[in-house]
Amino acid sequence: MGSSVDWSREAFTLDSARTNAVYTAFVRMYNDELIYRSARIVNWDPKGQTTVSDDEVVHEERKATLYTFKYFPDFPISIATTRPETKVGDTAVAVNPEDERYKEYVGKTFTGEFAGVTLSVTVLADESVDPEFGTGALGVTPAHSQADWEIAERHNIDARPQVINEYAKMTKEAGPLVEGKNVAGAREVIVEWLRERDLLEGEEEITQNVSTAERTGGIIEPLPKLQWWIDTEKEFVLQESHIKGIESGETVTLKQLMKHAVEDGEIDILPERFKKTYYHWIDNLRPWCISRQIWYGHRIPVWYRPTDARGGQGDEIHVGTEAPQGEGWEQDPDTLDTWFSSGLWTFSTLGWPEETDDLKTYHPTSVLETGYDILFFWVARMVLMSTYHLGEVPFHTVYLHGLVRDEKGRKMSKSLGNIIDPLDMIEKYGADATRLSLIIGVAVGNDLRLSEDKVRGYKHFANKIWNISRFVLSNLPQDFDPKNTPTLRLEEQKRLDELGSVVDEVTENIEKFRLDLAADQIYQYVWHTFADVIIEESKEILNGEDEDAKRSTQWMLSRALTDSLKILHPFMPFVTEAVWQHLPENLRDTEMLIVASYPTNR
């Protein structure tokens, strides 16, 4: 595609230098008590057999049944749920403190048999409960719901029992009626149990968002598991700060650092509307689960050694960049979330944790360009990691592009058969045509509707550039020297002034990151002004007898050609470089166009 990158700096996320950076980052954050190990609710993917971060959960609209029932005959409150199978793990019912219907029951505990298990259910008041949803009463299952877990924490309720295991099967604690069944089978059993005892009060078909794992499509099961976490709200002392508005030695949180960097203007997010999205994500950010049960990744730099004869992970623990000395140590089997190491990328690739010249010279970087769909996965985590570890922002501008869709606006997928392979387009129409089709008409942050016809159209433009160049070169004399500037006629001076205005407008739009407008301005100028107007007007003069007019026109054409190639080059690097190599040496101010000076309005 023509990305101009320094391949000598190529790095691999699992090479030794990056591994050292990841381990160093982990140890530092652990020592600041920002990383900790705890049993909390995770998004568990039974299909992939691993935890999944909140940002990697995909919500799919699906039909479901909302069941309304009572746990047992003398229970005074009806509850509604789409997951009756989890209710064998309920420990409380939560109601809104302002809900008059239930105030007399708040603080009371009711005990009885429910689907083969004995439940002891306490009624509590919590402001998170929506009195308008269902019956206004929420069955609290701390072990199988993030929201319920948080309610249990607020009210100091036991999070047990766990009634669903890692394979989405019911556990022994779920009771003999459903033990070993999958969740769907258990749901049928429990609904039938309620129906037989006249406890089922209603069934309503609704549409709900079902949480699925992005990579496997498996339905997420919220489960309590012992995992590694980053606390984004814990206060710590920022030892060294180069962040505007935050002093070295100031007490901050990771959330504050991420938000401040954008609010104070050190990082600009384009388009502007994504700042609001960024703030909303930070405001609602929970502890970040960073451990994964997958093979591919950086293994967590923590070692355990049993402290008694029973074996297993004992009390003795070593956290470090290298394995501890001595026998009996076993490294934590989990790997780190890929976004942990990716979050270090702006500085781990420059030699950190060593204080290298590259790090001093090139960090922070100027611009990060990426898709808006990974604003939270990657961009926010780079801000988190850089502000914490270096005390400075990772970049000054974030340019978020949209997604490439088909001509009907649909996501490209194999099942729809609507994928446009860029390699196929490059083979048929060239890399330059493919590049331009991805830029023109696509404002920053907007999705692109791409069709093969669009790519084909820009191949015609590439041909037009060759034809313009052939015409200009064929009409220059053998001894033409652009350094010998003739006295320009008013017409030629006017044409060069027009080109100068185009250069200024294109430059301004590039500086404002309106690459779509800049590319379109160049396209319109080269095709509809240079080719259609200037060249057509010049033919009569070039074929005439007025030598002064001819020299003036030739000089103007040569300048228009070289400046057009220069402003086109960032958008169409291959054809412009190829044309540049065909120019006589005296027309080129550098051997290669890629290092030529960008034109200015003279």
Side-chain angles (χ1 to χ4, degrees):
M1 288 294 287
S3 296
S4 179
V5 296
D6 181 356
W7 291 106
S8 70
R9 298 178 183 275
E10 183 180 11
F12 174 49
T13 190
L14 291 175
D15 64 24
S16 59
R18 259 45 62 182
T19 298
N20 181 49
V22 168
Y23 280 16
T24 300
F26 185 99
V27 172
R28 286 187 178 186
M29 299 181 85
Y30 177 83
N31 290 338
D32 265 349
E33 299 181 355
L34 298 177
I35 288 180
Y36 64 97
R37 192 171 185 238
S38 175
R40 295 179 57 87
I41 285 283
V42 300
N43 302 307
W44 181 260
D45 176 9
K47 194 172 180 180
Q49 286 294 293
T50 182
T51 58
V52 174
S53 75
D54 290 344
D55 299 313
E56 290 172 301
V57 173
V58 177
H59 299 285
E60 295 183 1
E61 277 198 356
R62 298 186 185 182
K63 296 292 183 183
T65 302
L66 182 67
Y67 301 94
T68 303
F69 61 90
K70 289 182 177 179
Y71 294 107
F72 19 87
D74 60 345
F75 194 77
I77 301 174
S78 300
I79 66 165
T81 184
T82 58
R83 301 198 67 192
E85 69 277 7
T86 65
K87 299 295 101 181
V88 290
D90 280 9
T91 57
V93 166
V95 298
N96 191 284
E98 302 302 317
D99 197 330
E100 295 292 338
R101 295 172 294 175
Y102 306 123
K103 278 192 173 181
E104 63 178 293
Y105 304 116
V106 173
K108 295 182 178 179
T109 300
F110 300 85
T111 303
E113 185 201 345
F114 176 74
V117 296
T118 300
L119 291 187
S120 185
V121 180
T122 301
V123 181
L124 54 86
D126 194 275
E127 290 183 352
S128 68
V129 179
D130 180 2
E132 303 299 321
F133 180 77
T135 66
L138 174 72
V140 179
T141 323
H144 299 285
S145 162
Q146 179 68 52
D148 293 5
W149 177 276
E150 291 170 0
I151 289 174
E153 279 191 327
R154 286 195 290 272
H155 296 272
N156 198 27
I157 296 173
D158 193 348
R160 293 170 293 180
Q162 180 179 335
V163 296
I164 300 173
N165 67 16
E166 287 81 357
Y167 299 95
K169 298 286 183 68
M170 306 305 289
T171 66
K172 183 179 180 181
E173 286 75 13
L177 291 182
V178 294
E179 181 183 355
K181 293 184 178 297
N182 61 32
V183 293
R187 185 176 307 167
E188 292 178 8
V189 170
I190 291 175
V191 169
E192 187 58 32
W193 185 91
L194 290 167
R195 192 176 284 122
E196 288 173 355
R197 287 156 181 78
D198 292 326
L199 296 172
L200 186 62
E201 299 174 349
E203 298 180 59
E204 177 190 353
E205 187 178 88
I206 63 169
T207 300
Q208 67 171 177
N209 283 324
V210 176
S211 299
T212 64
E214 183 182 46
R215 293 181 187 275
T216 68
I219 295 177
I220 293 295
E221 283 292 346
L223 298 178
K225 290 189 73 66
L226 186 62
Q227 299 291 298
W228 288 95
W229 307 81
I230 290 182
D231 189 341
T232 57
E233 297 188 87
K234 181 177 176 57
E235 291 187 338
F236 66 95
V237 176
L238 188 63
Q239 299 296 336
E240 184 177 359
S241 176
H242 307 284
I243 305 166
K244 187 170 60 176
I246 294 181
E247 300 292 330
S248 298
E250 192 170 328
T251 299
V252 292
T253 68
L254 293 173
K255 265 192 179 184
Q256 288 171 347
L257 288 176
M258 285 189 285
K259 200 166 185 179
H260 176 86
V262 176
E263 279 184 335
D264 208 55
E266 280 221 69
I267 297 176
D268 190 23
I269 297 177
L270 302 173
E272 183 82 14
R273 67 180 184 271
F274 281 104
K275 288 182 183 177
K276 200 173 286 186
T277 311
Y278 177 83
Y279 296 143
H280 178 76
W281 179 81
I282 291 173
D283 289 340
N284 292 279
L285 186 60
R286 293 194 286 250
W288 171 18
C289 179
I290 56 172
S291 46
R292 297 287 180 271
Q293 292 67 48
I294 55 178
W295 285 104
Y296 197 76
H298 292 279
R299 199 165 171 183
I300 289 175
V302 177
W303 287 260
Y304 309 95
R305 182 157 63 179
T307 55
D308 56 43
R310 290 172 297 183
Q313 292 177 358
D315 295 329
E316 196 172 0
I317 183 172
H318 171 82
V319 180
T321 58
E322 295 180 354
Q325 299 296 314
E327 295 188 5
W329 290 98
E330 287 193 12
Q331 190 172 357
D332 195 304
D334 288 352
T335 53
L336 285 163
D337 178 9
T338 187
W339 302 106
F340 185 96
S341 57
S342 300
L344 310 174
W345 205 246
T346 63
F347 51 97
S348 68
T349 51
L350 296 174
W352 187 89
E354 302 300 322
E355 294 185 9
T356 64
D357 290 338
D358 277 0
L359 188 62
K360 294 174 186 175
T361 304
Y362 297 116
H363 203 275
T365 56
S366 300
V367 183
L368 170 77
E369 185 272 341
T370 190
Y372 66 67
D373 53 328
I374 57 173
L375 174 62
F376 314 127
F377 292 122
W378 194 32
V379 179
R381 286 175 168 83
M382 284 194 281
V383 178
L384 182 156
M385 290 297 194
S386 182
T387 51
Y388 169 77
H389 289 290
L390 273 66
E392 64 184 20
V393 296
F395 29 67
H396 293 299
T397 300
V398 178
Y399 179 101
L400 297 172
H401 64 69
L403 306 179
V404 181
R405 300 180 181 272
D406 72 6
E407 56 190 323
K408 295 179 182 177
R410 302 173 300 179
K411 270 195 171 183
M412 294 188 185
S413 71
K414 290 180 181 178
S415 59
L416 289 175
N418 63 343
I419 293 175
I420 297 177
D421 190 329
L423 294 178
D424 292 340
M425 295 300 99
I426 290 170
E427 184 69 26
K428 292 173 76 171
Y429 307 114
D432 286 318
T434 306
R435 283 168 64 100
L436 217 55
S437 71
L438 298 171
I439 298 172
I440 292 183
V442 189
V444 55
N446 287 0
D447 289 352
L448 160 68
R449 294 190 177 198
L450 184 64
S451 67
E452 187 168 342
D453 285 342
K454 185 178 182 184
V455 185
R456 186 186 297 113
Y458 291 119
K459 183 185 181 187
H460 298 321
F461 181 55
N463 292 339
K464 181 67 72 172
I465 296 167
W466 278 106
N467 293 336
I468 291 170
S469 305
R470 288 192 189 96
F471 177 85
V472 173
L473 295 179
S474 66
N475 281 283
L476 296 181
Q478 290 279 341
D479 60 349
F480 178 80
D481 186 354
K483 293 178 183 176
N484 295 330
T485 309
T487 301
L488 295 178
R489 298 188 313 145
L490 189 60
E491 292 88 340
E492 275 76 47
Q493 188 59 56
K494 180 183 174 184
R495 290 302 181 193
L496 289 178
D497 289 343
E498 288 175 356
L499 174 56
S501 296
V502 170
V503 169
D504 284 347
E505 290 172 12
V506 167
T507 303
E508 183 180 354
N509 278 317
I510 290 175
E511 289 172 347
K512 291 180 177 178
F513 297 95
R514 288 307 308 267
L515 307 181
D516 56 318
L517 297 182
D520 188 57
Q521 285 170 319
I522 300 169
Y523 173 84
Q524 297 296 335
Y525 174 79
V526 171
W527 192 307
H528 299 297
T529 300
F530 197 174
D532 291 353
V533 179
I534 295 176
I535 284 180
E536 290 305 314
E537 287 180 351
S538 71
K539 288 178 180 178
E540 185 178 346
I541 298 170
L542 293 171
N543 293 325
E545 301 297 327
D546 188 335
E547 292 298 323
D548 288 339
K550 192 181 293 187
R551 279 193 294 273
S552 178
T553 298
Q554 289 168 337
W555 198 91
M556 179 273 294
L557 288 172
S558 71
R559 170 57 64 82
L561 174 62
T562 53
D563 280 7
S564 293
L565 291 174
K566 288 177 179 180
I567 60 175
L568 255 175
H569 185 70
F571 301 94
M572 302 183 76
F574 295 105
V575 65
T576 52
E577 187 71 70
V579 170
W580 187 262
Q581 297 306 316
H582 281 77
L583 299 182
E585 283 190 19
N586 60 3
L587 274 187
R588 294 182 284 163
D589 49 13
T590 57
E591 184 178 343
M592 294 188 70
L593 177 56
I594 194 172
V595 293
S597 297
Y598 194 80
T600 56
N601 185 5
R602 298 169 179 84

